[in-house]
Amino acid sequence: MKNIHRFAALSVLPVAAALIALPAQAAQGPACPVPTKAEVKRSNDSKVDKPARGATAIKGVRVNHIPKGFTYGGVVVNKHNGITEYGYQWGDDRANADDKQRSLWVRVVCWPKASKLAQLKNGPFNMGTFSGDTETVKIGGRQVLTQEGDGALGAGRYAGWVERKGVVVTVMASTPLVPELSKIIQGIKL
């Protein structure tokens, strides 16, 4: 009987130690989603997905609301100065100049210094900078920095937020998708 009690006490200790360690790990949150070597190669080779990928197009990110009408997509990866920009662009077959063109770009930026929304204004992004007239608003339940899409991004709405320290998320929705921007942003889960 003594051995059973001793065995029971010993088997509870590792579980208790693990439970004590969980809150510290949970507070840190998971690491920033980074592309695999295969995804970096797909981006470098400008590979196009026909049809476009779905909700899990970006490893470690779930885009739960993707509007209908996309005919292709592609991974976009850019690494520079200790920062990784990793995202996916959905598009249709309309020309860039067509007002009805449907495009969506969701990106995660692993930027260790990111901790406040105001930092996005001067963020070290190579693509999709917040360089226009920005405003801070609540969209899809998140406090975001937003601006009108510029020439490089195309017409529409650009928004971004700090998901957690070191992890930034940006979304660029073309003009026809702006009415769905709240659902798109609300549906993004890391």
Side-chain angles (χ1 to χ4, degrees):
M1 188 71 158
K2 241 188 216 180
N3 287 339
I4 292 173
H5 289 295
R6 191 174 311 147
F7 177 73
L10 289 174
S11 66
V12 170
L13 287 175
V15 172
L19 289 175
I20 291 169
L22 280 177
Q25 291 170 341
Q28 291 175 352
C32 189
V34 292
T36 63
K37 288 180 183 177
E39 294 289 72
V40 172
K41 183 170 178 10
R42 284 185 66 76
S43 175
N44 290 340
D45 294 345
S46 299
K47 295 284 185 184
V48 175
D49 300 320
K50 283 190 173 194
R53 293 182 189 177
T56 57
I58 307 164
K59 183 182 174 204
V61 179
R62 185 163 186 84
V63 183
N64 289 313
H65 181 76
I66 300 173
K68 302 273 187 236
F70 296 118
T71 55
Y72 68 91
V75 175
V76 181
V77 177
N78 187 10
K79 293 183 177 190
H80 58 94
N81 304 322
I83 294 166
T84 301
E85 300 179 52
Y86 173 36
Y88 196 83
Q89 291 179 317
W90 290 266
D92 68 11
D93 291 328
R94 290 181 179 93
N96 288 345
D98 189 333
D99 290 344
K100 294 180 182 176
Q101 183 199 33
R102 298 169 66 78
S103 64
L104 174 65
W105 177 32
V106 176
R107 168 181 67 171
V108 176
V109 182
C110 299
W111 175 26
K113 293 181 181 177
S115 62
K116 294 181 273 186
L117 192 58
Q119 290 174 288
L120 299 185
K121 180 71 175 159
N122 298 310
F125 314 127
N126 276 358
M127 306 175 290
T129 60
F130 286 92
S131 57
D133 291 330
T134 62
E135 61 180 330
T136 301
V137 296
K138 197 164 196 167
I139 301 175
R142 290 185 162 99
Q143 198 73 12
V144 302
L145 188 67
T146 187
Q147 72 180 33
E148 288 297 318
D150 60 19
L153 295 175
R157 197 89 187 139
Y158 184 47
W161 66 92
V162 178
E163 179 73 15
R164 58 181 170 267
K165 183 160 177 30
V167 182
V168 173
V169 179
T170 66
V171 175
M172 177 61 201
S174 65
T175 303
L177 303 181
V178 170
E180 296 184 64
L181 190 56
S182 183
K183 285 182 183 177
I184 294 166
I185 289 174
Q186 186 174 23
I188 295 174
K189 307 291 182 211
L190 275 67

